[in-house]
Amino acid sequence: MTIKAYGTYGADKPLEPLEITRRAPGPHDVQIEIAYCGICHSDLHQARAEWVGTHWPCVPGHEIVGRVSAVGAHVSGFRTGELVGIGCIVDSCRHCPDCEDGLENYCDGMVGTYNGPTDDPPGHTLGGYSQRIVVHERYVLRIRHPEEQLAAVAPLLCAGITTYSPLKHWKAGPGKKVGVVGIGGLGHMGIKLAHAMGAHVVAFTTSESKREDAHALGADEVVVSRNPDEMAAHAKSFDFILNTVAAPHDLDGFLVLLKRDGTMTLVGAPATPHPSPNVFNLITKRRALAGSMIGGIPETQEMLDFCAEHGIVSDIELIRADAINGAYERMLKGDVKYRFVIDTASLSA
Ligand code: NAP
Ligand code: ZN
Ligand code: ZN
C-alpha cells in the first residue's frame, strides 16, 4: 500500500513530501502505524551522501515508535494495539555467530531500517520519516514506558542503544570514572545511562552553554574541552570514555585522560577521518581505542526495559515533518536540546 513519507532525491536537495509503498504483512510481519520518529545525525550523513552508497529516494529515520495495526498469521509475540519500537535493524541473516549471539548489529547481512537491500518491495529500505512500517517480528521491540512518554522514547531506539551497549560492554558502573564526549542526541543519553548505571560521569562539551544542562542530565562534572586547563585537571584518570562527536577532531586530547588500561570507544561516524592518534598515547599506558555500532535486538530490549524501570527518556524537541530541513541545519550547529522528534501526524495534515 502507498503511504506518505518525507525524503530526498539527492545529496544536495532538501527533504520533501513523497509517497512510498509498504508490503502487506507476511506471516511473520508486524505492521506498525508510526507515531513518532527521532532525527539521528546518521540520517543527515546518509541523506547528504556523506557516507558511501546512498540510494535515492532516501527516506531516513531509525528511531521509530508506534502502535501495531496488523500482525501476520504466525506472529505470536505481538498483538494489534500494542506500543512498539523499531530501531536501526529490520533484518539480518539470522544464522551467523553474531545473529546467534543476539548481536545482529554485527551481522554481515544486517539490513538497516533505511538504505538497506530488500526484495519486498524490490529496491532499498525506507525509514521512519513515514506513516507506517512493516517489519519481521524478530526486529520489533516492546515499549513499557507510559504512553504519554512515547515521543521521548523514540530516540532510545538509536541514541539509547548506541550508548547503552558500549557502556555495558566496558562495564560502566559504581567505582568507574566515565567520560562522555559531545552532548548531542547520543551524548545526552550516554550521560543519563552512565549515571543510572552508577558511574562517576564527566561530560565533555565544546559548548559552554550546555554546562548547566549537563549537570541536570546526570553529569557529576563538566569539562569544556576547548579549555586546556580544565582538560589537564583530568589527566590519566578515566576508566572509559565514550566519544559521540560527529566531526573529525583531535583524539589525543582525550586519550591522555585515560588511566592505565583505560579505553576510549568511538561511536561518532564522521564523513572524513580523524587525524591519526599519536601511538605513544596508547603504548605508554596500555590504553585502547575502540569502536561500537548500535546494539543487538535482545540488548535493545534490555535497554528499553532498563530505561522504563529508571524513568529514563530523551530530552526532545517535537517538530512537524516540514521542519526537518531546518532541524538538520540546527543539528549541524550543535543547536538541539537534545533530540528532534518528528510528529508523524503532521505528514497527513
Ligand atoms: P548530534 O546530536 O549532532 O551530536 C553530536 C555532538 O558532537 C554535538 O552536539 C556537539 O556536542 C559535538 N560536536 C559536533 N561537532 C563537533 C566538533 N567539530 N568538535 C567537537 N564536538 C563537536 O549527533 P548524534 O545524533 O548524537 O550522532 C553523533 C555521531 O554518532 C554521528 O556521527 C552519527 O552518525 C553517529 N552515530 C553512530 C552510531 C553507531 O552505531 N556507532 C549510531 C548513531 C549515530 P557539544 O556541543 O557538546 O560539543
Ligand atoms: Zn541513529
Ligand atoms: Zn547474521
Side-chain angles (χ1 to χ4, degrees), residues 92-100 103-104 106-110 138:
S92 64
C93 86
R94 302 178 201 170
H95 52 69
C96 72
D98 297 318
C99 286
E100 281 179 3
L103 292 170
E104 301 86 349
Y106 296 118
C107 169
D108 291 338
M110 184 198 104
R138 178 182 171 135

Side-chain angles (χ1 to χ4, degrees), residues 166 169-170 181 238-245 249-268 270 273-292:
H169 185 77
W170 278 278
V181 187
F238 282 88
D239 296 284
F240 181 63
I241 296 178
L242 182 63
N243 188 326
T244 76
V245 173
H249 63 284
D250 167 41
L251 301 179
D252 287 304
F254 295 103
L255 286 174
V256 297
L257 305 186
L258 294 170
K259 65 187 192 190
R260 176 177 50 80
D261 291 326
T263 298
M264 177 159 76
T265 295
L266 307 179
V267 289
H274 298 291
S276 298
N278 180 341
V279 70
F280 286 92
N281 289 333
L282 296 171
I283 64 179
T284 52
K285 290 264 179 246
R286 200 163 57 186
R287 295 172 175 128
L289 180 60
S292 182

Side-chain angles (χ1 to χ4, degrees), residues 40 42 62 158:
C40 178
S42 301
H62 56 204
C158 176

Side-chain angles (χ1 to χ4, degrees), residues 278-322:
N278 180 341
V279 70
F280 286 92
N281 289 333
L282 296 171
I283 64 179
T284 52
K285 290 264 179 246
R286 200 163 57 186
R287 295 172 175 128
L289 180 60
S292 182
M293 190 175 79
I294 44 176
I297 296 296
E299 196 178 20
T300 306
Q301 188 63 62
E302 179 188 303
M303 176 276 308
L304 284 168
D305 295 347
F306 177 88
C307 289
E309 196 181 311
H310 289 81
I312 296 174
V313 290
S314 174
D315 288 17
I316 65 161
E317 192 173 322
L318 196 61
I319 61 165
R320 292 173 47 87
D322 56 16

Side-chain angles (χ1 to χ4, degrees), residues 41-42 45 183 185-186 205-207 210 244 267 269 292 294 339:
H41 205 115
S42 301
H45 289 309
I183 313 179
L186 266 55
T205 181
T206 57
S207 311
K210 294 181 185 171
T244 76
V267 289
S292 182
I294 44 176
R339 197 57 138 185

Side-chain angles (χ1 to χ4, degrees), residues 7-16 47-49 56 58 325 328-329:
T8 174
Y9 289 93
D12 52 357
K13 296 190 169 63
L15 280 84
E16 58 179 286
R48 297 193 175 174
W56 313 106
C58 174
N325 294 300
Y328 276 20
E329 292 312 313

